[in-house]
Amino acid sequence: MILLSPLAAIGRSTMAMLSAIGRVTLFMVSAIRHLLTPPWYPREFFTQLVHIGWLSLPVVGLTALFTGGALALQIYAGGSRFNAEAVVPSIVAIGMARELGPVLGGLMVAGRVSAAIAAETGTMKVTEQIDALVTLSTHPMKYLTAPRLAAATLCLPILVAVGDSIGIFGGYLVGTTRLGFNPANYLANTVDFLEFWDIASGLIKGAVFGFIVALMGCYHGMNSGRGAQGVGRATTNAVVSASIMILAANYLLTELFFTA
């Protein structure tokens, strides 16, 4: 019996993980179905556009600015070992557009938006506001989940595009003021080496990450436990699960887009 205890623990953990994956998958399918079928709530959708998109611009912009500057310094320091300092503009642009822009933008929005969605919907569940929506013949998935999924999926690519631009500008500032690059040559190298697919792949990643952020926030909020402790746990779980899923999805999408 003692020897079987570790195996039983592994079995319970595996079953719990598969059960959680199944619940999230069913929730996702139901959310997409409600998103694609009427009725829709455009007022709630535009409200979420402001909360998710516009109000996330400062944190995404500042993150991208300092990341672009730090990336330029690191690439210059590494490239100087091989007399390859000239690659700084192109690597900064490609790195921001392909990876750092989408991933850091997704993680920043996950920390801000997933937590807010989970806390809001979890509080609504605890205070029985979701039950009140059902009483008023309003489906909670249509009124709460669908607008947030649509808004996050639409906003994240825009935030990623803005973050890419600001990050490249941060690298430009550091390169021209600290590393001695000629401004015209820096911009020319950035434009010459940056391809359309570099930008498009990052925007596609942004849309996927936005869907993940809203999905995790809504799922954990809708399944929140009772009381303040349950809402706090749901908020934490939403941010952690969204961040992990963003990193995993980033690897899978990179494998899909850039592996020959």
Side-chain angles (χ1 to χ4, degrees):
M1 272 320 259
I2 296 176
L3 294 176
L4 292 178
S5 295
L7 296 177
I10 294 173
R12 284 193 298 270
S13 300
T14 303
M15 293 301 294
M17 181 185 68
L18 294 176
S19 177
I21 293 174
R23 288 194 299 270
V24 172
T25 302
L26 292 175
F27 185 88
M28 179 183 68
V29 172
S30 176
I32 293 175
R33 179 170 59 84
H34 287 293
L35 177 63
L36 298 177
T37 57
W40 294 290
Y41 296 92
R43 182 176 180 179
E44 186 69 15
F45 169 71
F46 287 112
T47 299
Q48 294 306 317
L49 283 180
V50 174
H51 287 305
I52 296 174
W54 178 254
L55 297 181
S56 296
L57 271 175
V59 65
V60 172
L62 286 173
T63 301
L65 179 66
F66 291 119
T67 300
L71 186 62
L73 291 173
Q74 290 283 14
I75 295 172
Y76 185 85
S80 62
R81 301 177 185 178
F82 311 100
N83 295 321
E85 299 91 337
V87 302
V88 170
S90 55
I91 299 300
V92 168
I94 294 173
M96 287 300 304
R98 284 189 180 186
E99 287 294 321
L100 293 177
V103 172
L104 291 179
L107 292 176
M108 291 299 103
V109 174
R112 181 185 173 275
V113 173
S114 261
I117 291 176
E120 182 182 4
T121 54
T123 303
M124 291 181 69
K125 180 180 179 181
V126 169
T127 57
E128 299 181 351
Q129 295 180 53
I130 292 181
D131 295 333
L133 287 174
V134 177
T135 304
L136 295 172
S137 300
T138 301
H139 201 294
M141 293 289 286
K142 286 192 175 295
Y143 186 78
L144 297 176
T145 301
R148 285 162 175 78
L149 283 176
T153 305
L154 179 64
C155 286
L156 250 295
I158 299 174
L159 290 173
V160 167
V162 173
D164 290 347
S165 303
I166 295 175
I168 293 172
F169 178 69
Y172 168 82
L173 286 179
V174 172
T176 55
T177 60
R178 295 279 298 147
L179 304 179
F181 282 88
N182 178 271
N185 290 338
Y186 191 102
L187 292 176
N189 286 336
T190 299
V191 173
D192 290 342
F193 286 93
L194 193 62
E195 299 180 353
F196 171 78
W197 184 240
D198 297 328
I199 301 172
S201 63
L203 299 183
I204 295 172
K205 286 182 178 182
V208 174
F209 298 165
F211 182 84
I212 291 173
V213 165
L215 181 70
M216 289 296 97
C218 292
Y219 171 77
H220 288 287
M222 290 285 192
N223 294 279
S224 170
R226 295 291 179 178
Q229 187 177 10
V231 175
R233 188 180 297 111
T235 302
T236 302
N237 291 339
V239 176
V240 172
S241 58
S243 300
I244 293 174
M245 289 183 67
I246 284 172
L247 295 175
N250 177 65
Y251 171 78
L252 294 176
L253 291 173
T254 301
E255 184 84 19
L256 176 65
F257 291 155
F258 299 109
T259 300

